[in-house]
Structure formats: structure tokens, C-alpha cells
Amino acid sequence: MTDYRIGIDVGGTNTDAVVMDGDDNLLAKTKTPTTEDITSGILSALDVVLDDSGVSEDELDYVMLGTTHATNAITERRGLNEVGVIRIGAPATQSIRPLLEWPDDLAEAIGNNVAILDGGHEFDGRLLNDLNEEQVRAQIREFADVDAFAVTSVFSPVRDDHETRVAELIREEVGDDVPISVSNEIGSVGLLERENATALNAALTSVASEAANAFVEAMDERGIDANLYFGQNDGTLMSVDYAIRYPIFTVASGPSNSVRGAAYLSAVENGIIVDVGGTTTDVGAVTEGFPRESSVAVEIGEVKTNFRMPDIIAIGIGGGSIVSTDDGVTVGPQSVGYKLTEEARCFGGETLTATDLEVAAGTIDIGSETPDVDAEIVEAAREYVRERVEREVDRMKTSAEPVPVVIVGGGSILVPDDIAGASEVHKPDHYEVANAVGVAIAQVSGEVDRIYSLDEMDREEAIQHAKDEATDNALAAGADADSVDIVDVEEVPLSYLPGNAVRIKVKAAGALDH
């Protein structure tokens, strides 16, 4: 079976790539420095693995990319769209305006254009207020110069009529070229967090379009005519068109890919994953082979959101972390990042990094020289790293019982093989490219998170409705219809709401559609 595919993961420090065959055997791997324009780093990684594997460009069936384009754009406030943020929920929701809790510079970067208009529904789908179409049209005309629209209506995950109608009115007023993000397709129940996620998604569509075009052009430049996919937050894949519509779903694809790759390489289906990169260490949990989803609002660029995100704790320790001896011995959070090969002492630079300590201790042999570092500093820094990692592993556990821990990533030499709270510690083969493996083996998924009133339908009907919708979402993202399975169903009775309400979350996943 051929089915050759390439997985590429772009990190802040390194771009990793692997070639795998249809039986999931790894044929070639590489780790190259991430470049400022990202694309040239992808191309050089691609060239290395194709060369090493002996697989030609026309034999490739799939290329999968996990990218940090969207995350970087939010962090750096760069390349974001000007967004018209429309909330349908007056007069009930006028006490807190949209974007109120956003950092000022981020709100300004997307234009700070907000409006609260009549409309919306109750939790059980009853009308809260009528939609005033003339008012909506007037507001759209006022926002005529924006690059994208974000539309959020009260309880739209229950009933999305008003969001759908406002999107139609936007199309009528400004045409088909302006991207529209509607909140019922992005976030779950919780108005402000869902609105935030929708506004961020709308702000990122141009960045996503540029990244997708660069990805497509890079493949064309190498004569690769393969199916292209992007990695998303839950460790699964989505088609390029889907990624352009929902770029917010790519922001945590890196850590998710690492969790999936680590679980696959170590054959640990349930446990804790520690991914040590050049700048940060991500600690996550794997449940039945997929990243555990965060159950609380997740902050992106200091903005609270509530769409699907992996439960990840990031700490500022990595291979490029700067070691300080000013106030005791500490490692990170400052890092030399992708300049490790210029600034670290083992490469002739002036900065003492975590990598230098391991070279000095003789555990790794890289660089042009062995730094002269006091043995006590090496020991104290290693202890500092151990304590930080053990603390975060403990925070990720759901019980006091020891659990398997898998350590991956290019900087995993920093983490010792014996960790308190671990039943066993794995450092599997190919650990340094686990994130690229994760995106190469990924499936395609769809998800739904809705409130149903069991006064209107019975429990079985509600669950089946959610399953059907999750399956449709997986097919829209590029899954093969015959292979889609329901992988997770979560049901939470909402006793604080009248009308016998229940929240149902369903996830469906399947193989890539040929």
C-alpha cells in the first residue's frame, strides 16, 4: 500500500517534517529552523524528507500542515482584518458591549466596530425579541468598509435563525466577497466567549487565506499534486477551504499534533504528554488517543473563548531557554528561540541556554564547543526543570494514581527519565518529530455542542440529532463518508434552566476522503 503522505509542523523554533506510507511507517524525518516567512522553512524541510525517503513528488497522496500563522497574527496583532462585530440580542444584552474585555491594542487592531441590535432567542428556542431587518441593513451599511463580519445571536447554538438571516442580509448589502463568521458554527453556549471566538475568527480569515495560498503555491512550486490539509485544535484535520473559513480552529494545532503523535509513537492511549520544544514545554493529556479537551474558557491573546481547545499547560522552558543565575538558578521563560545556533555557548555564542547545560554535562554532543559551566549550576538548573515539569504533570492528572508519561519534542533531553507521579516514562523512537507524525496520521473530525429542550423531543432524538450534525460537520471538513464514527458523546443535564434542558456534545471522526 503506497498512500505516501507528508506531515509538516511549523513551530516557533523548528519546522519538522516526516514522510509516512499507507501502513504508517515513518520513511524519513527532519527538523529545520523555522524561517521568518514560514514558507521557505516549509520548502526546505519538504526537500530534505523527499530526498531522504526516495519518494517522488508525484507519488504523494496527502500533505498535512500544522501551522502557527493564526497564533502569531493574534500575538503580534499583525495582518488582522477590520471586523464589523454584530450582536443580535437587544435589549437583553446591552449591559456588556462586545469586545469589552479585549486588550485595547487588539480591539483597535480589528477596528473596534461593534453594534448590538434587536433579536435573539431564549435557551429553549423561544423568541427573545424580533429581528429588525431595517435596523440590521442600516448597520451593515455603516460597517460598509470592514474586511469581514462576525455575527453572534443570543443562544444561537440552540436556534440559529437570526444569525442565518443576518448573514443573508450582509450578502445582499455587500456581496459575496466579504467573509462572514457566524457564532453557532464556532463556539458553544456562553454568549461573550462565543462572540469573542467569532470575532477572532473573522479577524483571521485574510491571514488564513494567505497561509493557505502560500501552502498551495509551495506545493505547486515543487510539482506536488496531492490533497492538502491543515491540522486543527482537536488533533484532527480539515480541508484547505474549511481552514480559510474557520482559521480559529488552527490556533492550538501544534500541541494537539504532539499529543496525537506521542500517543501513536508510544502506544499510550491514556496518559500525560510532555512536549519540550525550543521555547516552551507543553503538558497535555491524551484520552483514547485524542487530546483531552479543555472544559473551561481558554484565553487566546488575552481574550476568553469557548470553542474546542486542547487542555494544555504551557511553561516557558525549552532547549533555547536562557539560564539565569541572578537570583538562584532559573531556566526560562526568556528564550533565544530559533537563534539557538547563533547565540548558545555551545555554538560559539554568548548566552547560556538549557541546551548548553546538557552539552556541558555530556548528555548530548552538538555545537562547535563544550561550554565550561559549574557542575553545581548544571545540577540546580536540572532540578529546577524537573520540579516545574513534575508540578504541571500533577496538575494535568485527574486522580492521585500514577499515570504513564510520554516525553517528546526536540528539547526532551532536558526532562529526566524518572518523574514523580508517573507509572512509567516513555521516550519513544522519533520523539523529536512527534508533532509532524501527529499531523501525518490524523483523521478528519466534526463536532457539535448544543442545548436541547427535552420537552420538545425525547432524549434519543436529541442525541441522534447531535450525532447527525457532528457527522455532517466531519464530512464538510473532508472525511470519507464510509469511515466516520462517533468517537465521543457527552450529555450534561442543565438543572438551572427550566424546560428539562440538556447540553449534548458529540464528536465524529473518520479517515481522509480520497
Side-chain angles (χ1 to χ4, degrees), residues 78-389:
R78 176 179 48 79
L80 300 174
N81 288 334
E82 186 172 337
V83 181
V85 181
I86 296 176
R87 180 194 295 170
I88 311 299
T93 68
Q94 286 179 316
S95 56
I96 300 177
R97 68 171 184 80
L99 314 189
L100 180 69
E101 292 185 315
W102 285 41
D104 292 343
D105 62 337
L106 184 55
E108 281 160 24
I110 74 161
N112 219 348
N113 308 298
V114 300
I116 305 177
L117 309 180
D118 293 347
H121 292 86
E122 297 277 12
F123 77 95
D124 58 359
R126 284 179 296 127
L127 196 65
L128 188 64
N129 195 3
D130 288 316
L131 185 69
N132 182 336
E133 295 199 1
E134 277 316 303
Q135 183 192 37
V136 173
R137 286 185 189 276
Q139 189 61 60
I140 294 165
R141 288 193 282 269
E142 200 174 305
F143 284 166
D145 295 332
V146 300
D147 305 312
F149 283 88
V151 183
T152 307
S153 177
V154 180
F155 280 112
S156 64
V158 178
R159 191 154 175 191
D160 59 13
D161 310 25
H162 286 181
E163 284 188 359
T164 304
R165 183 58 188 144
V166 171
E168 288 168 0
L169 294 174
I170 293 171
R171 290 267 171 265
E172 288 172 19
E173 291 290 333
V174 299
D176 292 336
D177 295 335
V178 177
I180 304 167
S181 297
V182 289
S183 77
N184 70 84
E185 296 175 354
I186 291 165
S188 58
V189 180
L191 176 67
L192 297 178
E193 291 87 353
R194 176 162 40 89
E195 181 175 68
N196 289 343
T198 308
L200 281 175
N201 190 74
L204 288 165
T205 52
S206 292
V207 172
S209 192
E210 275 175 37
N213 289 338
F215 186 28
V216 171
E217 282 167 20
M219 297 306 114
D220 287 347
E221 203 175 301
R222 292 296 186 270
I224 295 171
D225 180 23
N227 295 302
L228 308 180
Y229 289 90
F230 279 88
Q232 58 176 336
N233 302 337
D234 59 1
T236 60
L237 299 169
M238 55 183 167
S239 64
V240 172
D241 292 343
Y242 198 84
I244 293 170
R245 268 187 77 186
Y246 305 111
I248 197 73
F249 292 158
T250 69
V251 293
S253 63
S256 295
N257 292 339
S258 296
V259 171
R260 284 278 287 151
Y264 171 74
L265 291 172
S266 62
V268 171
E269 291 277 294
N270 296 279
I272 305 293
I273 309 297
V274 180
D275 176 25
V276 192
T279 307
T280 58
T281 292
D282 294 322
V283 183
V286 61
T287 307
E288 303 303 331
F290 283 93
R292 186 172 75 204
E293 199 173 310
S294 176
S295 56
V296 296
V298 174
E299 287 200 0
I300 299 171
E302 298 170 60
V303 174
K304 273 189 185 162
T305 64
N306 68 352
F307 61 97
R308 60 176 185 261
M309 285 283 281
D311 192 0
I312 299 285
I313 300 170
I315 51 177
I317 292 175
S321 293
I322 296 170
V323 179
S324 168
T325 54
D326 296 342
D327 184 17
V329 178
T330 59
V331 182
Q334 290 79 20
S335 170
V336 296
Y338 63 83
K339 293 185 176 173
L340 181 74
T341 53
E342 299 164 29
E343 298 188 10
R345 286 197 197 169
C346 61
F347 289 100
E350 299 294 317
T351 309
L352 183 62
T353 67
T355 300
D356 293 321
L357 301 179
E358 296 304 324
V359 174
T363 50
I364 51 172
D365 179 20
I366 60 168
S368 53
E369 54 192 80
T370 303
D372 183 17
V373 187
D374 192 305
E376 286 179 13
I377 292 176
V378 173
E379 201 46 51
R382 282 175 148 184
E383 200 49 41
Y384 179 87
V385 171
R386 174 200 290 276
E387 284 175 12
R388 288 293 306 276
V389 170

Side-chain angles (χ1 to χ4, degrees), residues 29-42:
K29 60 183 177 180
T30 188
K31 185 180 281 289
T32 60
T34 295
T35 53
E36 212 162 315
D37 67 342
I38 295 180
T39 309
S40 53
I42 290 173

Side-chain angles (χ1 to χ4, degrees), residues 363-429:
T363 50
I364 51 172
D365 179 20
I366 60 168
S368 53
E369 54 192 80
T370 303
D372 183 17
V373 187
D374 192 305
E376 286 179 13
I377 292 176
V378 173
E379 201 46 51
R382 282 175 148 184
E383 200 49 41
Y384 179 87
V385 171
R386 174 200 290 276
E387 284 175 12
R388 288 293 306 276
V389 170
E390 285 181 346
R391 193 185 318 153
E392 304 313 332
V393 166
D394 202 50
R395 280 178 65 192
M396 288 305 289
K397 288 163 63 178
T398 52
S399 74
E401 294 299 310
V403 295
V405 173
V406 184
I407 301 169
V408 293
S412 55
I413 190 72
L414 305 180
V415 180
D417 289 341
D418 52 324
I419 294 177
S423 58
E424 52 191 340
V425 175
H426 299 261
K427 281 189 184 173
D429 290 343

